[in-house]
Amino acid sequence: MNSSLLQRLLLTLAALFALGMPRPSAASTIFWGSTFEQDVLFDAAGQPLGGEFSFEIGSFEGGFVPTMENLNDWAANWKVFDRAYDPTPLDADDGDPEGWNSTEQFFVGTVEHTLTGGSDSPDADPSDTFPQGEVIYLWVYNTKDREAGTEWALVTDGTSLGDNYSDWVYPDPTDVGSYDLLLEDADLGIVGGLNGTSGGGQAYTIQTAVIAVPEPSSMLLMGVAALTGLVLRRQRSLSADAR
């Protein structure tokens, strides 16, 4: 068996084990990810997602509801529960993905919902808590900054009807059970495409969307206008004095 085939086999087994095998825990264990060789993950151009993309499950600060109108406020209100990514995205075949394998096109993670309502993920803020019943989102991105080339998808499980696995809400952290959050149960897309068809006619599970660079705020424009007016008045004053 060559090394490439062995690597693929090991990655496949890791995904299956992470999603299907419980482990001892003093709190809730959450298994999350996509389904290997079933979910199709596209970027805005209709191509498979590259190693530069990250996948985060998490939630927003209490009361904040993400919409297209408040994109600039997402990052400030976002609480990371766990992350899947490739730390060396330029070398997709080096065998060191942290839950995201762009070659095989699947992502997977396992994380503890601690007794205090926090997360044991190294990517989570230790001061953040995730109360029972709070909605869980999946944020897919190549950068959280709104700049040229930024692509996002934000999805969740908007209804429990028809779910094959656990609802996308945080469980009771004192419950020692395990929960499976799989992409196939997502049915609500806030940004990006979900369970649709690309321009080329190929069905996808999730597709990122290009996020426009924010235009200068009206206050900034007003400030520029005021400064321009001040400069013009100063120039007129200097011209009058020169006469």
Side-chain angles (χ1 to χ4, degrees), residues 72-83:
N72 285 339
D73 300 321
W74 285 15
N77 288 279
W78 177 247
K79 301 182 298 182
V80 180
F81 191 69
D82 196 19
R83 179 185 179 208

Side-chain angles (χ1 to χ4, degrees), residues 142-151 210-214:
N142 55 359
T143 174
K144 288 181 181 175
D145 296 325
R146 292 186 66 185
E147 57 191 26
T150 295
E151 294 190 24
V210 174
I211 303 300
V213 177

